[in-house]
Amino acid sequence: MSVVSTTRPAVTHPGHRARQLGLWLAVALIVVWSVFPFLWQSNASLQPDRNLVRSAPKWLPLPGTLEHYRNVFTIKHFQDYIFNSIIVAVSSTLVALVLAALCAYALARLPVPGKTVVLGIVLGISMFPQIAIVTPLYLVLRRFLLLDTYQGLAGVYVGLAIPLMVWVMWGHFRAIPKEIDEAAKIDGAGPVRALRSVIIPMALPGVVTAGLLGFIASWNEFMLALSFTTTPDHQTIPVGIANFTALYYVPWGDVAAASVVVTVPLVVIVLIFQRRIVAGLTAGAVKE
Amino acid sequence: MASRDTPNPLSRRRFLQLGGAALGAAAAAPVLAACGSSSSSSSGKTELTFASAKFFGKSNIGQIVDQYNSSQTKIHVTYRELPPPSSSTEVHQQLVQSLGRGDGSIDVFTQDVIWIAEFAGAGWALPLDQYVNASEKSQYFPGLIEACTYNGKLTALPWFVDSGMLYYRKDLLDAAGLQVPTTWDQLVTAAQGLQSSNKVKYGFLWQGKQAEVLVCDLVEFVGSAGGRILGTDGKSVQLGDQQAVQATQFMYDTMNKLNISPKDLLSWDEEPSRRPFTAGQAAFLRNWSYVYNIAQDKTESQVVDKVGVAPLPAFSGGKSTACLGGYQYGVSASSKHKDAAVEFVKWLSNPDTQLKFATDVGLAPTRPAVFDRPELAKANPFMVKLKDVFTGGTPRPVTPKYPQVSLALQSGVSKALTSGDVQGSLNSTKSAIERAVS
Amino acid sequence: MATPTNRDGLRVAQPVPAPRAEVVPRPAPRAARSRERMRLVAGAFGLMAPALLTLLAVSLYPVLRSLWLSFRDTTLALQTDSFTGLKNYRLLWSDEQFWNAWRQTVGFTVASTLLETLIGLGIALVLAASFRGRGLVRAAVLIPWAIPTVVTSRMFGWLFDGQNGVVNYLLVRLHLVSHNVNFLGSTNLALPTIVLADVWKTAPFMALLILAGLQTIPHSYTEAGRVDGASAWRIFWSIKLPMLMPSLLIAALLRALDAFRIFDLPYVLTGGGPADSTETLSTLAYKRLFSGLEIGYGSALSTAMFISEGLIAIGFALFIFRRLRALEG
């Protein structure tokens, strides 16, 4: 919905101005909505905890303190948890993307008998309450000596990410006209090659979306990580943050600092990838 | 779609199958074995595995275990760290999974005081009566020994203790010429007075969230009225009796009739209730011992040096009651090295180690004698004052079905506190508990 | 259907008008075609196998085990179990706490999915427009979703605190309410507050899914509409929305299934209270399974959740498929 367009000649009719204003208002609202919790966290991370419980909130962290960031890295060794989370989330997302893309492609393009059933099962099996899968998986991982390892946790995350990814990518693959496949076949590409060179670039929004959501889900997952990892060598960020609290006391400034440290890279990643979404569209089609 | 140019999909399928199998194999390849084994090593030392919830302070449990290992040559202990008590449900689950297998993978463990009866009833904890005689038992707080005993058998050895206590603003009480309240009526009067003179926003803060802490608060109120929740036989439920009703009615009234507590308490547990107090907004607070150090921390609190601690008040005719908390040691009934395990547990529970836990990790001792040690007075003078509070400690209902009892209490009492129908809610809770313990 | 074009308005390559010999001359054309089809089907299963196998390995065993346990009376203490048939389900059926949680879970799911889909759609539409700084705004939108869940739950606890929370502060200052609102400690407001917190956190997730769907709508369609002089609203309603429906419905379905299993927010914020007013099926299952060790009952509860979700999913999926088929004409 291009209300503000750079290619059209400047047309000023009364509705246009109003719509422009409306758009900017909507953007402002959205930005406030999204950024407010993060700003509040950043604020909390730069102030002594004493300032957090006042009748009137202290909007600006002055005078500020860096003690929380110091605590997070020197006392809590948060960098260990960040490292672990990166390994687990990146590896599980990549593996899941590949597996899910192949599966979604087959479902979207190839004559699979009982397609609806397969899709239904893929979705259905992911609907089981997480509470109920913790103990059985714990027993399985223990039997295969995969407790407190990267592979164990990442493997479980792959299994949990696949349903969402398959559905999202399936939806996007379907939307691509079959003629694209034909054209690729004329050029001599097999199904997998067609998938890689033609379909995925065209469905890039779907693929990147699936990847982003899978990544964030792995990044934030708590219950399974808590049950399956036991040492800072393998524990991920959510477990690390939960372990800031021994018995009751929640060091809120430290927690806020940790969450800021964790959120900023994610936002940067999204910033990088969202450009790719737009770029993918113009580059993907087969021109003639 | 058919095309003569499509390369043979069978070969592709085989490739993918191999790839999938490779992935599967890579995922299943065992790497480092999980730590801890219960067998004698070739060096002749007895190997023990000690699983404990994670605590930390100036030092942590791992370091204390290392000290034990280097202090003697007969036993080597491997420390297996469980989540911290803030994730107590996960600690419970992991202990249950390991102990339930009965394979001796854990020799010594730590258990929250409310799990002792459950583990004992399940036969997972080794009875220690043959290793601990009566005079040794008398060196601990009696309330704690009671909590460590199930069906007449001692199945846990005390480690550290915590309990609820009354925090008060001594500066405000002094200025108003008020004494530290010993009855609830005195507390109400003081709180209302300070509220109406605008010295504080809230009179009295406690925890009403539908969680375990509500049961702790309940035990204290009911005990201070002279009542009980569960009889000493572990089967008769006294929750519908007059004392329990009086106590619960009081809890309801603080928020509705006496107006000394905000209704927001119903979603507050330890921290949300602690924060307004250390921000100087409340006159009285019921909470655990951890609050004191925070109250004295300049970066955290607005009431440094203004806070006093006392045992909780009681109703007339009742006795001040503090709900016991804390983790205790247990020896696994399926341990393959019971004697060594008991020896290690006794070392953990001896006065010197308890002192170390107190000064370095901030966990209060379960031996009254340790409170008199000069090192403790130097490192943590506040803890010394708690001796009297802990002496009056009362356990929560002792029954192997405690988890179900607790859930029933949480739900029922929360209903009483929101609806105001105290007798009715307690009666239906009583039926639920009777069903659970029958 | 018009000649398909890509975003540059160029025609996508058409097959060369050469002899369309789709079947290689073989002795028996029909047998060859079915052999070819079998090869494709085999290939398809080959492509799907790794994903499906991983899925089954991670999810199928727990599901089956839970089902198995729900028909038995297992006590970890004695390491015994005995077959009890439908006893656990009968207990479940007559348990008012279960139905209370069920009702609240359904209510939460409907409310949050609806709100998140609508708000997500709105956000996605705005993000699809071109304006300066769009990239930054798109990245910013994901922030609530990106903050670790262990932190968000507690953070909302702070923000919605009945006495010292920022939300109350703003509401009172802006004269929208006369005194502080007890968001989480009152039986009427606790669940709606949790819905609000969930919407705040999850609308970006929906926005992202819907935005991706918006991006795949060919520009040519909207251009055609504009050329025909249709208003922006008409373009949206008659052109974009129908094309967006599949993505929208899939996103809503995925979100509804997730919302049904909501756990962190109610457990951390209110513990299921006050007075069970925010108890969801997941929090109830957690308490019964983990704290109470009622394995048979807890497994029956999980299975009941699974069945409820299955019914929702089937209903939703049928609806989606019918719409898709209608779209394709």
Side-chain angles (χ1 to χ4, degrees), chain A residues 73-112:
Chain A
F73 286 111
T74 55
I75 301 182
K76 311 279 186 187
H77 301 289
F78 204 60
Q79 53 273 34
D80 297 343
Y81 299 108
I82 297 179
F83 180 71
N84 296 335
S85 267
I86 291 178
I87 293 194
V88 169
V90 168
S91 61
S92 65
T93 305
L94 287 179
V95 172
L97 267 179
V98 168
L99 298 187
L102 294 172
C103 185
Y105 178 67
L107 286 167
R109 282 295 189 254
L110 298 178
V112 178

Side-chain angles (χ1 to χ4, degrees), chain C residues 261-274:
Chain C
R261 294 177 292 163
I262 184 81
F263 174 71
D264 289 284
L265 277 175
Y267 192 75
V268 170
L269 286 177
T270 55

Side-chain angles (χ1 to χ4, degrees), chain A residues 184-198:
Chain A
K185 227 183 321 222
I186 301 294
D187 288 345
V192 178
R193 176 93 184 288
L195 175 68
R196 202 180 62 212
S197 325
V198 179

Side-chain angles (χ1 to χ4, degrees), chain B residues 133-251:
Chain B
N133 60 38
S135 84
E136 286 172 303
K137 274 203 253 185
S138 65
Q139 293 173 17
Y140 296 101
F141 286 116
L144 215 39
I145 291 290
E146 183 192 335
C148 290
T149 307
Y150 174 67
N151 252 357
K153 300 210 199 73
L154 184 78
T155 55
L157 209 54
W159 175 15
F160 76 92
V161 67
D162 197 0
S163 79
M165 52 197 69
L166 183 74
Y167 291 89
Y168 59 90
R169 289 283 302 280
K170 61 183 185 206
D171 60 324
L172 295 178
L173 289 186
D174 288 341
L178 293 166
Q179 298 278 41
V180 178
T182 50
T183 71
W184 288 116
D185 284 331
Q186 289 172 358
L187 182 136
V188 172
T189 319
Q192 284 175 331
L194 289 170
Q195 262 185 286
S196 52
S197 57
N198 277 324
K199 293 278 190 295
V200 289
K201 227 164 104 179
Y202 318 108
F204 176 45
L205 296 180
W206 44 282
Q207 296 81 34
K209 182 181 179 188
Q210 185 172 332
E212 178 67 25
V213 67
L214 180 58
V215 179
C216 301
D217 282 37
L218 182 74
V219 163
E220 287 163 355
F221 285 112
V222 170
S224 72
R228 290 180 70 100
I229 297 174
L230 202 60
T232 39
D233 60 354
K235 296 265 194 237
S236 56
V237 183
Q238 299 172 359
L239 190 62
D241 295 1
Q242 177 267 329
Q243 296 97 325
V245 175
Q246 176 191 15
T248 314
Q249 186 66 51
F250 177 70
M251 289 160 81

Side-chain angles (χ1 to χ4, degrees), chain C residues 47-89:
Chain C
L47 289 179
M48 299 193 306
L52 293 182
L53 286 175
T54 317
L55 195 55
L56 295 183
V58 169
S59 298
L60 190 64
Y61 169 61
V63 171
L64 292 180
R65 183 176 177 273
S66 233
L67 201 60
W68 169 260
L69 286 172
S70 71
F71 291 117
R72 312 182 76 83
D73 181 18
T74 312
T75 46
L76 273 186
L78 305 166
Q79 291 283 297
T80 61
D81 64 336
S82 51
F83 183 73
T84 53
L86 293 173
K87 167 163 155 225
N88 289 320
Y89 290 98

Side-chain angles (χ1 to χ4, degrees), chain B residues 93-157:
Chain B
Q93 186 65 7
Q94 294 192 17
L95 278 175
V96 162
Q97 289 302 328
S98 293
L99 294 173
R101 278 161 92 213
D103 60 0
S105 54
I106 297 183
D107 297 289
V108 179
F109 60 94
T110 58
Q111 45 188 335
D112 194 339
V113 70
I114 50 175
W115 304 335
I116 294 179
E118 184 193 342
F119 290 174
W124 295 332
L126 183 71
L128 300 170
D129 301 276
Q130 52 174 213
Y131 303 100
V132 181
N133 60 38
S135 84
E136 286 172 303
K137 274 203 253 185
S138 65
Q139 293 173 17
Y140 296 101
F141 286 116
L144 215 39
I145 291 290
E146 183 192 335
C148 290
T149 307
Y150 174 67
N151 252 357
K153 300 210 199 73
L154 184 78
T155 55
L157 209 54

Side-chain angles (χ1 to χ4, degrees), chain B residues 48-128:
Chain B
L48 293 181
T49 304
F50 171 43
S52 171
K54 171 183 171 138
F55 288 90
F56 45 86
K58 273 201 291 248
S59 56
N60 55 43
I61 299 182
Q63 290 165 311
I64 294 184
V65 169
D66 288 338
Q67 286 173 21
Y68 178 73
N69 283 333
S70 46
S71 74
Q72 45 77 45
T73 52
K74 268 189 344 186
I75 303 174
H76 181 260
V77 178
T78 310
Y79 169 52
R80 189 176 127 189
E81 192 172 81
L82 302 174
S86 51
S87 303
S88 67
T89 319
E90 271 70 26
V91 177
H92 179 247
Q93 186 65 7
Q94 294 192 17
L95 278 175
V96 162
Q97 289 302 328
S98 293
L99 294 173
R101 278 161 92 213
D103 60 0
S105 54
I106 297 183
D107 297 289
V108 179
F109 60 94
T110 58
Q111 45 188 335
D112 194 339
V113 70
I114 50 175
W115 304 335
I116 294 179
E118 184 193 342
F119 290 174
W124 295 332
L126 183 71
L128 300 170

